[in-house]
Each structure stands twice: as C-alpha cells, then as structure tokens.
Amino acid sequence: MAAKAGKPLSFQDLILTLQHYWGDQGCAILQPYDVEVGAGTLHPATTLRSLGARPWRAAYVQPSRRPGDGRYGENPNRLQHYYQFQVILKPSPADLQELYLGSLDAIGVDRALHDVRFVEDDWENPTVGAWGLGWEVWCDGMEVSQYTYFQQVGGLDVALVSGELTYGLERLAMYVQGVDNVYDLDFNGAGLSYGEVFLENERQFSAFNFEHADVETLIEGFKAAERQCQALLALSPPLPLPAYDFCLKASHLFNLVDARGAISVAERAGWIARVRDLARGCAEAWVAAEDAR
Amino acid sequence: MAQLLLEILSEEIPARMQARAEGDLARLLGEALEQAGLQWDSLETFAGPRRLTAVVEGLPEATEAVREERKGPRQGAPDKAIEGFLRSAGLDSLEQCETRDDGKGPYYVAVIGRPGRKTADVIAEAVPAIARGFPWPKSMKFGEGARAQRWVRPLRRILCLFGGAVVPAEVFGIKAGNETEGHRVHGPGPFVVKDFADYEKTLREKGHVILRAGERKRIILEQARAVCSNAGLELLEDEGLLAELAGLAEWPVALLGDMAAEFLDLPPEAVRLSMKTHQKYFAVRDPETGALAPKFVVIANQVAPDGGEAIAAGNARVLSARLNDARYFWDNDRATGLSAMAEKLSAVTFHNDLGSMADKTARVAALARELAPAVGADPELAERAAKLAKADLVSEMVYEFPELQGVMGRYLHRHSHGLYVASVGPSAFTHDASIGVQGSEAKQAIAVADAIRDHYKPQGLGDAVPTAPVSAAVALADKLDTLVGFWAIDEKPTGSKDPFALRRAALGVIRISHATNVQVSLGDTISAWFDDVGVEGVIERSGTEHAIQKAWPYMDVKFGDEYHRTTLGEFTRKPPKTSDRDETIRWHDECRELLISRIRNDLLSFFADRLKVHLRDEGIRHDVIDAVFALGDDDLVRVTAKSRALQAFLDTEDGAALLAGYRRAANILKIEEKKDGASYDAEPEAAYLKAPPQAEEKALIAALAQAVPAARKAVQAEDFAAAMAALAALRAPVDAFFDSVTVNADDAKLRANRLRLLSRIRAAAAAVADFGRIEG
C-alpha cells in the first residue's frame, strides 16, 4: 500500500498504509478504544501496557476529543474531534528513529525534497501522571508527529522504556495532500471530502461543548465516575481495567466542564489532581496484577 | 605526543542544551586527564544536533611513573598503628617496607611506586565515567540490561581514537570504534576516520555536517542576510534565535518564504513572536518603511533538489495556520475590549497576600495620580492609563504570548480610539502624523496607549527608560507599589534570590527618576501607600492575616465593640489599659507609625544600596552615597546630584584636605567630649567670637561665618557644586588653625570655646553630608 508517485494518499489510505507498515514491524493492529479520550496515549493499550515488564507492540487509530478546541467548523486547522495514529513499541528498539522515518517514506514523504526535523519537546500529561523525553517531528515546519520515550506513567517509573509515536492524522494528510483546509481533505480517493463526513459534527459538538453541555449534569457524572473508579480499585483483588474506563470518563467530563468555562484557575489544579489520583490507582493496580500474573 | 579524538553520537540533542554540553565535556575530560597526571597542548569541544566531540592535542603516550615514600611508625610501635599504616599505604606486610634510622631509632618507610600508565587506558576508563556522570539538565533512561543507559536522548555510537588507534572504551555497552555518521539525507555513512582533521573534513565533505556551532551560525546569518537583500529586504536579526537554529541544523540552508499579505494588519510583534517561538523563523522588514514585509526566513537542514521550493511552501502554509490562530485571538480581544478586560482582573491573583491584579491596579492608579504632577503628567491621564495597564493580562493574545503584555494593551487601546495601526517604530509616528492626530483626545489616547506598553520598562540594562510623562508616572507607580507591597509583607530579596525582581524594580525607579528628573520624596510616597492601603488594607485585601502578622507581629486590642489592630514587638511601648479609649487609639496610631517608619527606612536603605550599585560605574563611592543619605534626604535625583558633587569635591585637593581637617576636628571632639562627659555643640561665647586670642582663630571664625550660610543657601537652591565651593573656602583657615592653635589650652574657658569652634567645623560639613560616613 505504499504511495504511488503522483497521487497522494487519501485520508483512509494514509491510515491503511500506516497500519500495514507498523503491522510489518510486529505491532498488533488494534481498534479505537470505545471511551472518549483527549489523546491516543490514554487508550489502555498504551497507558496501562507501557507499565510492567512484559514486551508489547501495538498500533491503532484513536479519535481524540478536545472540547475546548472546537471552532464551529470555521477554523481550517482546529477541531474538537480528530484522529491520532498511535504506535507503541515496548521496549523501544534501538533504531526506532529509522523505523519512524521509514513510515514517512511509506506514506509518500520524499525526504530529499522535504525537511524532516526532530525538535525538542518533552511530553507530559499531568492528568495521568506521565512524562517522557522526545521531540515534535517537523516536516517543513509542520508538526506531524509526537515522538516520546516514556519515563513515567501513572506516577510510576517504567520498567521498560517504550517508544511512543503519535501521528496527527489530519495534519499529516493535509501535508501529504497539499491541502490548506482540513475540510477539503480527500477522505476516500473517490470524491468524498473530510468536510462531508465531519463538518456537521464540528458545528453541533462545538455548540454542545461551549453552550449547551449542562454543567451540573457533567459534574454529577464526574463524581459518579470517580466513585465507581474508586470502588473498583477498592475491591480485593481490584479491577483496574474497568476502573480505568471510569477514570477516562471522569477525565473527559472534566474537559467538558472546563470548555464551558465553569472551572476557575484556582480550582483547576484540584480537578486535575483528582483525575491523576484515579489514574495512579489504576496504574498501580494494573502493575500489581501484571506482576502477579 | 598524540591526539585524542572523541565523538559521542546520539539522537537529536535539544538545541538549548548544546552550548552548555560543550563546556561540560571540556571540563570533565580535562579533569579526568589532569587527575591521571596528564598534560596536553590544547583541548577543544564541539556540540551539534546529534554529536558531542572533543579533540585533545599533544598528549603523551603514557603517564609518568611515580615514586612516593611514606614515613611510617617506629619499630615496636603498637600493632594498631602498624596495621593502619600498612592499610593506608596499600601494603600487606612490613616486609614490603624499608627500615631507616634517623638517629632516634629505626622506623618504617613505605616506598610506593606507581608505574606509568598508557594514556589509552586512562582514556578508556575516563570516557565511560564522563558519560555516566554527564550533567545534562534533563536526561532519560533507555535500553535494558548491559545496554541500559542514561543520556539526553538515546546514545548511538562512540568514536574514540588515540594516536590514530581505537581506544578500547565501552560506554553503556557500546564499544568505541573509528566510525562516525553524517547527515541523515545527504550522507548517512558510516565513515571511517583516522584523526581530527580527517574527521572534520569527512563530516563536511561526505557527511554534510558542519562540526562547529560558530561556523553554522555564520553560515545561517550570511545566507539569511543574502536571501533578504536579494529580494530588496532586510533581515530582522535575533541572536537568541540564531543560536537555537545553529543547534537544529547540521547543514543549514536559508530559504525565503512567503507570508500572506493579509496578515500584515496583525500586531507586528505578534507576527514576529509567532514566527520565532512557534516556527523558528526570522522576520523580514522593508528597509524603506521599517514595517514587516510579507516574507520570512526559514533555516532548512538540507539542500533540496528543487532549490527548497517545496520546503519554503510547506513552511508558508504552516505559518498561515499559526497566524490564523493569532488573528482569531486578536479578533476576540478586539471584540472584548480593554475596559471589559480590566473588569476581569479581580480574578487574577497578583500575590496571595497582596490581593488581585484589580487590587494592584487600584493602588497603582492612586499612586500614579499622585506622582503625575512631579513628572509633568496630567493626573487624570496617569490614572486612566494605570487602570488599563494590566488589563491585557486577560487577553487571549497575552495568554498565548506572555511576552506581549503591555504591547497588546497598547494596540487594543489605540484600536478602541480608531488609532490602530499595525506598525512599530518610526513608521508609527509617520502614521500618527499622516492621519492627522491633532485632536487632544487622540493625543491623550496615544499617550495612554504608550504608557500601557511602557510601564513595564525598563526591564533590563539595555531596555529603554520611559520618559514620556504619563508612561513615567505609571511606570514609577507600578514599581513603587510592588516594592512597598512586598516590603509590607516581608518578601524581600535575599542573596541571589529575588523571585519578584524587586532589585530590578528599584533600579527601574532610580533610572526613571534620573531620566525624567522627577523629584519626589520616596519616604512620603511610601507613607502615602500606607495611607491608601494601610497595614490593615494589606491584611483585608489578602483575606489572610498571616502576611503582615508573620512579618510584623501585631495584636488586636478590644475597646468596647471596636477592635484595634496593632503591632507588638520591641518597638512599641506596652499597651495601655483598655478602659482608656483615647489612650488606646493614640497607642494604636503610634504603633502603626512605628511599623510604617520601620518598613520605610528599610526600603530606603534598599534604594540606597541599589543607587550605590548603579552609580559605582560613574566612580561614585558607596560611602559617599551613605554620607548623603545619612542626612535623611530621600529624593533620588537630589541625592544623586549631591553625591556626584561631593565625590567630585573629595577628588580635589581642597576636598581631601578639608575632609582631613573635618576628621581631625571630629576626633578631637570625640575624645574630649568623652573625657569631659560634656557636649561642645553649643556656639562659642560671643566674647570669644569677637576677640579670639590668635589670628588663625579669627580667620576661621570669619570663614565659617561666610561658608556655612553660603553652603546652606546653595544646598537649598540645589546648586551642589556651589555648596562644595563654599566648603572649599574653609580648607585654608582650617589647616592654618590646626597648624598654630592649641585646642586644649590651659585656660578651661578658652579650651571650651575652641572645642565649640571645632564643633562648628563639624556642623558646617553637615550642611552637605555626614562626613563621618566617608571611609578611608
């Protein structure tokens, strides 16, 4: 499924190409997780599987929901819902940079013509207590991927250092197709545009996120998810996988409340700390179960 | 003599860490070689996007053999002493020692011989130790087992040659070799190299890597200037950006890209910052108008077959997306408006114990109004500007680019008066003239807008000092409020710690005062702050009581239904009985005054210290400034002028001689007053003044009668050179007096009068400064 000269990949072919490429590297090709998340990293296949001493390789597409980034479909680059292609290799092979560059070759980026650079960017996700060192990968000044060597997840030091790659699929596709507006992307190579699939979603969800989401309901939902997560973690033995689902739900509900502007700066840190505590509990329970298995 | 070449190749090293790594490698390698007893001719290190390199010239093949003798205990010494000696000398038994005799009996000597070591072995040991202990600001673990490593990013390859041969060094399980790698696209290699010259040449010619950061910088600057001048444009140079770019490209190539002209109506600072911080581009301007040109310079890391067209076009697209964001923020900010933003400042914390930004704004506005007349500003305008000065802190643009605080406020204020123009520098003035800014309302709006931007200045030594009246008033008020506020809650700078940049704020007050010649009493200003805010105000605003309480202990005194909060501590007398209401209130006020005066004096001495630092380069000594401050003057302009005049006077022969005369008088007085337990401050008796026994006394009396009023008058008129000249006239009579008059005359009355005359000399000097503070 490598790019043919002259015709850039459609959005879906881009995904298929990356799936084949990373499948060939021994990755399990998984499907998106069915809970709303703000980033592909939060899929348990990355967050939880990066912990413990068991090797693991996986790749998947994950829709990312960022309620605050919605622009009612009016901004050519910003979306409240977009796709990330996520790769995790645990432990990271020594030649991961070369493998990554090979994936760019596979999707038709001619590296003689285009300037690919690794620019310092230390990744951190305080809500799940995770950080790593790595780069933003720039292609002609466009950030097309995030490249991270995990050091800590769920507040725990990793036993094996994973290499994690996150491709921003819309951006990458816009780059490959030479398109300035995300809604103009060629979705399937047969006349369907990205806008035809998603423009209405952006309009409706922006209105929901910014204007109509009921703050009280959201806060109730947050508290309920928090309670459920804590209850599952309090079991003996705990159930970290379902508990983590509720941690993710709480995280997403927090993002929605935040987008409604209902959280003051002073309160924000407190909310984030609550989600982080849930994530840490899930991570600890997961590692304990892994070690026991 | 041989050469050491070391290269540590890794995945991309953050640009900001490279310069320091260059220094750290030089230091660590030098230390390791020196510890082994090696000497060398030169040691140089280089850092780039993927490598750290060191070359050491003129190392010997081996370290010199060392023979060391260590004197031990005498024969028959206790076993413990002998054991300890053997252990410290690294020996097993006494048989390995020599026995000597110094005439007091035989004793043991350990002769420790260390043979020379091969330099290659020293290096093989040093390299992994350096790698393990390298002080990266942030490092990561990578790999497992024998290949587990900690480096800034994964370490990939070690090249280590000594005298052309591979050194058997091993770092994190990676064996050193004689190969390096080049540019990922142009010449990945690996390439075998035989020495440093070959290494640098191979990297350049086959690998397309420029080893030296300095050369990469030069190439970037030359090319960037060239692509601009070819298009009739001018590069906006930026030293920090240049250094960063040299850390991001191994083979830098400058390309000129296009920016959509529609973005030129955005605030140019925002465009420039977006280019710089997000994209690492240089901005470009039109040399005719000084305005931004719709272009940018991007530094690519390769020579592309299409001449860089695709790279430039790709970068231009990204920039458009970035600037679309900037436009979105700018549109939102304009729609909100500065006045509405000002109302949101109560939600922004200035400091927990000093309230919100809205609280600060209110204080600064009151203070700016008070200071305005002294700088020639309209109090109304100063107050208006101060009320808007912090408003842009809640704008979306400043949230995105904190560096634009003030700058955005200026544009927003101009915008709300129909005076927005997307330009900076000279062209803005041209614009203001061309659109006919004549109306006083427009002129006022411009003055307020400039004050919003400039009230943060001066930030550093190179930064311009605001001198426009409204700007100066707000800048002074903002800084003084910050200083007094933090002093009130006892958050003062200590040692190297100055988290609230209070030293810079005080220096800013000094520089603005000097530049605008603003004459205000700092002490009065500080008192005014407390009149507006009060000790109680700080407590109320912060909503917590601990701030002042921890700094200045106080207590509540209940009288009837009222509480009187007041300070305790060593500087108050005991509280009165609470049954006496008036007395309680008096006591409260007294305590409050004491507290404020303590804060005031402490802050004034901080200003004196800052002034000393500031005037040091002018050759004005710290003790001269102390001597002037000691008289209680707290007007920075006057203190400075006086200090300059006094220093100039002391640098003259007359000045030095008068100082000597003053000291002689003061010393004699000190001794005699102590001996007699009496003060000689009073005037000499009229009879003595009229007819003193000696001509020299008469001359001195006459000179003092002239000089003192003259000096006082000159000080009053702030003509300090004249004041010094008046004092200078005393030099000859003072010298003559000491040469021929015996102060301690046998006649007690005469002695007393002469001592009183000496105290007149001391008093004369005090018209100008406290000469007693002058050292040396």
Side-chain angles (χ1 to χ4, degrees):
Chain A
M1 183 75 56
K4 293 167 201 82
K7 176 135 168 54
L9 294 173
S10 66
F11 189 69
Q12 67 191 34
D13 280 344
L14 179 74
I15 294 171
L16 293 170
T17 306
L18 287 172
Q19 286 181 336
H20 272 285
Y21 181 86
W22 288 107
D24 289 346
Q25 307 305 327
C27 290
I29 304 302
L30 303 178
Q31 302 307 317
Y33 203 57
D34 57 346
V35 175
E36 301 103 316
V37 293
T41 302
L42 299 176
H43 191 309
T46 294
T47 306
L48 295 180
R49 292 278 185 164
S50 64
L51 292 164
R54 237 174 270 270
W56 172 251
R57 287 188 171 200
Y60 55 88
V61 174
Q62 180 65 43
S64 298
R65 301 231 192 187
R66 305 259 170 109
D69 282 354
R71 295 288 184 273
Y72 296 85
E74 285 160 17
N75 184 299
N77 302 293
R78 274 185 191 271
L79 304 164
Q80 56 82 42
H81 172 286
Y82 62 96
Y83 288 103
Q84 291 181 335
F85 190 86
Q86 192 77 19
V87 181
I88 175 155
L89 298 170
K90 174 194 173 193
S92 172
D95 61 348
L96 183 59
Q97 265 191 325
E98 284 74 18
L99 290 179
Y100 169 75
L101 291 170
S103 76
L104 295 186
D105 296 343
I107 59 174
V109 174
D110 179 350
R111 288 191 289 122
L113 271 178
H114 297 287
D115 187 18
V116 177
R117 306 278 275 282
F118 293 87
V119 181
E120 177 190 15
D121 187 43
D122 300 339
W123 175 82
E124 191 181 17
N125 185 335
T127 40
V128 292
W131 69 275
L133 297 192
W135 310 273
E136 289 177 349
V137 185
W138 288 16
C139 184
D140 297 343
M142 158 92 83
E143 184 197 344
V144 290
S145 301
Q146 179 82 38
Y147 183 131
T148 307
Y149 295 111
F150 279 171
Q151 303 288 300
Q152 226 182 38
V153 176
L156 305 173
D157 285 339
V158 296
L160 297 177
V161 175
S162 301
E164 185 218 35
L165 305 168
T166 303
Y167 301 76
L169 284 171
E170 283 82 354
R171 272 202 204 169
L172 192 57
M174 285 168 76
Y175 185 81
V176 170
Q177 294 181 16
V179 163
D180 288 334
N181 188 325
V182 65
Y183 299 107
D184 294 338
L185 279 175
D186 171 5
F187 200 92
N188 65 349
L192 184 69
S193 75
Y194 191 92
E196 285 173 84
V197 184
F198 285 118
L199 181 56
E200 190 55 24
N201 296 48
E202 284 301 312
R203 288 180 180 144
Q204 292 195 16
F205 275 97
S206 292
F208 167 73
N209 297 337
F210 290 128
E211 302 165 45
H212 303 293
D214 182 55
V215 173
E216 222 168 283
T217 311
L218 295 172
I219 291 177
E220 279 313 306
F222 179 92
K223 288 178 183 161
E226 188 183 37
R227 274 196 307 274
Q228 180 67 81
C229 179
Q230 287 163 342
L232 293 168
L233 290 175
L235 295 174
S236 180
L239 293 174
L241 283 167
Y244 186 66
D245 274 13
F246 286 93
C247 168
L248 292 179
K249 285 185 214 287
S251 171
H252 178 63
L253 290 166
F254 158 70
N255 287 339
L256 279 171
V257 180
D258 200 21
R260 290 285 276 118
I263 295 175
S264 76
V265 179
E267 294 168 318
R268 219 168 169 276
W271 281 73
I272 290 176
R274 282 163 78 175
V275 179
R276 189 171 50 233
D277 286 346
L278 298 180
R280 176 190 276 267
C282 295
E284 281 167 359
W286 164 266
V287 171
E290 274 285 278
D291 291 349
R293 207 145 53 93
Chain B
M1 293 294 135
Q3 178 196 67
L4 163 64
L5 171 62
L6 171 68
E7 182 198 58
I8 304 173
L9 193 92
S10 67
E11 298 182 2
E12 275 76 354
I13 304 168
R16 66 188 169 92
M17 298 180 188
Q18 292 172 19
R20 209 185 112 177
E22 221 172 65
D24 286 336
L25 179 59
R27 179 175 53 81
L28 293 172
L29 185 58
E31 280 170 8
L33 296 175
E34 201 175 301
Q35 249 167 40
L38 288 164
Q39 287 184 324
W40 58 91
D41 295 337
S42 68
L43 189 163
E44 236 185 318
T45 54
F46 313 92
R50 289 162 65 214
R51 66 200 79 226
L52 286 184
T53 303
V55 58
V56 187
E57 300 283 1
L59 279 169
E61 294 286 347
T63 66
E64 277 177 32
V66 180
R67 195 184 133 94
E68 187 192 338
E69 290 190 0
R70 205 174 294 177
K71 190 176 168 187
R74 298 196 175 276
Q75 270 183 5
D79 286 352
K80 271 239 166 87
I82 287 174
E83 275 167 33
F85 165 64
L86 289 174
R87 199 166 45 242
S88 76
L91 300 177
D92 298 325
S93 77
L94 284 175
E95 280 152 37
Q96 291 163 294
C97 296
E98 290 178 16
T99 310
R100 298 210 190 133
D101 198 329
D102 54 2
K104 293 180 202 158
Y107 64 93
Y108 299 109
V109 173
V111 180
I112 306 160
R114 267 200 309 258
R117 288 186 70 201
K118 279 195 196 156
T119 302
D121 292 343
V122 172
I123 295 166
E125 245 173 54
V127 169
I130 290 170
R132 273 195 306 275
F134 205 83
W136 292 109
K138 224 172 177 186
S139 62
M140 55 169 273
K141 64 173 189 167
F142 186 74
E144 304 83 37
R147 298 180 76 87
Q149 51 165 274
R150 183 166 278 283
W151 198 242
V152 62
R153 293 292 184 278
L155 192 160
R156 298 284 282 262
R157 188 189 283 279
I158 302 277
L159 179 155
C160 190
L161 296 175
F162 180 64
V166 172
V167 175
E170 191 177 313
V171 178
F172 305 135
I174 299 168
K175 285 196 166 62
N178 61 352
E179 289 178 322
T180 184
E181 291 176 32
H183 190 280
R184 285 187 204 280
V185 175
H186 288 320
F191 307 106
V192 173
V193 300
K194 54 182 205 288
D195 59 24
F196 178 68
D198 182 39
Y199 167 78
E200 189 173 10
K201 184 163 178 276
T202 303
L203 277 183
R204 183 191 304 273
E205 291 175 4
K206 294 187 188 157
H208 287 78
V209 171
I210 304 290
L211 176 67
R212 295 165 196 263
E215 187 183 349
R216 293 195 300 271
K217 267 177 139 156
R218 190 174 51 70
I219 291 171
I220 291 169
L221 198 55
E222 278 173 9
Q223 290 192 7
R225 282 176 181 156
V227 294
C228 289
S229 67
N230 288 345
L233 297 168
E234 194 187 343
L235 181 75
L236 273 163
E237 295 182 13
D238 183 324
E239 190 55 41
L241 179 60
L242 178 63
E244 188 181 7
L245 288 166
L248 281 168
E250 300 188 298
W251 195 258
V253 176
L255 301 169
L256 190 65
D258 290 316
M259 173 181 115
E262 59 181 282
F263 294 118
L264 285 177
D265 70 342
L266 287 173
E269 289 91 343
V271 174
R272 243 188 115 168
L273 258 184
S274 192
M275 284 186 179
K276 176 185 173 172
T277 54
H278 290 144
Q279 296 302 130
K280 308 188 199 301
Y281 303 153
F282 288 106
V284 176
R285 77 177 157 208
D286 182 337
E288 300 286 305
T289 63
L292 284 186
K295 301 274 179 188
F296 63 91
V297 174
V298 55
I299 305 302
N301 186 32
Q302 70 203 60
V303 183
D306 66 347
E309 233 174 82
I311 296 175
N315 276 284
R317 272 217 307 273
V318 185
L319 182 62
S320 283
R322 290 287 191 188
L323 294 178
N324 264 325
D325 278 350
R327 176 185 300 287
Y328 177 79
F329 300 140
W330 174 232
D331 288 347
N332 286 353
D333 287 344
R334 279 188 295 184
T336 308
L338 210 51
S339 306
M341 289 178 191
E343 281 161 27
K344 296 186 195 163
L345 287 176
S346 52
V348 181
T349 304
F350 168 59
H351 183 282
N352 266 342
D353 297 328
L354 292 169
S356 70
M357 271 295 172
D359 294 327
K360 178 170 179 47
T361 294
R363 297 194 299 260
V364 172
L367 204 51
R369 204 187 161 88
E370 254 168 85
L371 291 168
V375 287
D378 175 349
E380 285 294 326
L381 284 188
E383 186 180 357
R384 194 184 310 163
K387 283 185 169 160
L388 295 172
K390 304 291 183 190
D392 68 357
L393 291 179
V394 297
S395 70
E396 294 188 23
M397 202 69 123
V398 173
Y399 181 81
E400 185 74 7
F401 298 113
E403 303 97 315
L404 291 183
Q405 62 178 15
V407 171
M408 291 316 302
R410 171 173 173 269
Y411 283 127
L412 286 168
H413 190 67
R414 288 186 65 120
H415 172 75
S416 64
H417 288 75
L419 293 165
Y420 172 69
V421 51
S423 193
V424 279
S427 54
F429 293 112
T430 321
H431 172 89
D432 288 348
S434 73
I435 60 168
V437 174
Q438 299 132 343
S440 67
E441 200 191 317
K443 279 185 185 150
Q444 289 181 350
I446 289 172
V448 168
D450 286 348
I452 292 170
R453 178 188 61 193
D454 295 337
H455 83 280
Y456 290 106
K457 297 180 178 183
Q459 295 277 13
L461 275 182
D463 199 14
V465 176
T467 53
V470 181
S471 304
V474 182
L476 281 172
D478 183 35
K479 291 168 178 60
L480 285 167
D481 171 70
T482 298
L483 285 161
V484 185
F486 282 106
W487 243 258
I489 61 167
D490 201 31
E491 285 281 359
K492 296 178 260 184
T494 50
S496 61
K497 284 198 193 111
D498 185 8
F500 304 107
L502 300 178
R503 291 195 181 100
R504 193 170 70 194
L507 182 61
V509 171
I510 291 169
R511 291 177 66 199
I512 296 169
S513 302
H514 285 169
T516 58
N517 239 1
V518 53
Q519 293 204 257
V520 290
S521 154
L522 279 180
D524 289 354
T525 309
I526 295 166
S527 300
W529 189 91
F530 281 102
D531 288 342
D532 290 340
V533 180
V535 177
E536 301 82 359
V538 178
I539 295 165
E540 278 159 24
R541 270 167 217 279
S542 67
T544 62
E545 300 198 350
H546 80 279
I548 282 205
Q549 191 176 24
K550 81 180 174 211
W552 317 98
Y554 66 89
M555 66 174 289
D556 290 331
V557 178
K558 196 171 183 195
F559 182 82
D561 292 335
E562 289 177 48
Y563 274 100
H564 288 280
R565 173 164 299 140
T566 192
T567 50
L568 278 179
E570 77 276 20
F571 53 97
T572 70
R573 59 193 170 91
K574 284 212 164 109
K577 297 256 183 289
T578 50
S579 57
D580 184 344
R581 184 196 162 100
D582 288 348
E583 174 61 10
T584 303
I585 292 172
R586 247 197 319 282
W587 179 71
H588 163 254
D589 289 346
E590 201 177 292
C591 292
R592 185 181 183 281
E593 268 322 301
L594 275 163
L595 170 62
I596 292 171
S597 79
R598 170 166 282 213
I599 294 172
R600 184 173 53 220
N601 292 340
D602 198 35
L603 183 53
L604 284 176
S605 80
F606 180 72
F607 267 108
D609 286 345
R610 293 298 96 198
L611 190 62
K612 287 175 199 168
V613 174
H614 185 58
L615 293 179
R616 192 165 47 201
D617 291 344
E618 271 184 40
I620 298 175
R621 288 185 3 211
H622 64 97
D623 47 324
V624 167
I625 294 168
D626 275 338
V628 173
F629 254 107
L631 296 194
D633 195 347
D634 59 2
D635 169 335
L636 288 170
V637 170
R638 204 160 50 216
V639 165
T640 305
K642 232 190 243 182
S643 301
R644 284 183 178 136
L646 179 56
Q647 181 72 58
F649 177 54
L650 293 173
D651 289 343
T652 65
E653 209 198 316
D654 278 350
L658 185 68
L659 177 61
Y662 166 89
R663 286 197 174 130
R664 202 160 155 191
N667 279 336
I668 294 171
L669 278 168
K670 197 170 141 196
I671 294 165
E672 301 307 319
E673 284 182 336
K674 195 176 168 196
K675 196 156 67 187
D676 301 350
S679 161
Y680 292 103
D681 263 354
E683 283 280 324
E685 291 170 329
Y688 168 78
L689 288 175
K690 216 166 173 189
Q694 288 183 231
E696 289 82 1
E697 287 170 275
K698 198 178 170 74
L700 179 58
I701 289 164
L704 281 167
Q706 280 230 313
V708 175
R712 291 213 178 108
K713 210 171 135 193
V715 167
Q716 204 95 62
E718 308 206 355
D719 182 350
F720 304 114
M724 301 302 158
L727 287 188
L730 289 175
R731 184 237 163 137
V734 167
D735 284 355
F737 176 87
F738 281 122
D739 283 347
S740 46
V741 178
T742 307
V743 177
N744 282 318
D746 293 335
D747 176 351
K749 202 166 165 188
L750 181 58
R751 173 173 170 270
N753 275 319
R754 282 180 174 164
L755 285 168
R756 286 173 178 172
L757 186 59
L758 289 188
S759 82
R760 294 302 89 200
I761 299 177
R762 193 167 60 177
V768 173
D770 180 355
F771 275 54
R773 302 259 180 164
I774 297 167
E775 297 167 3

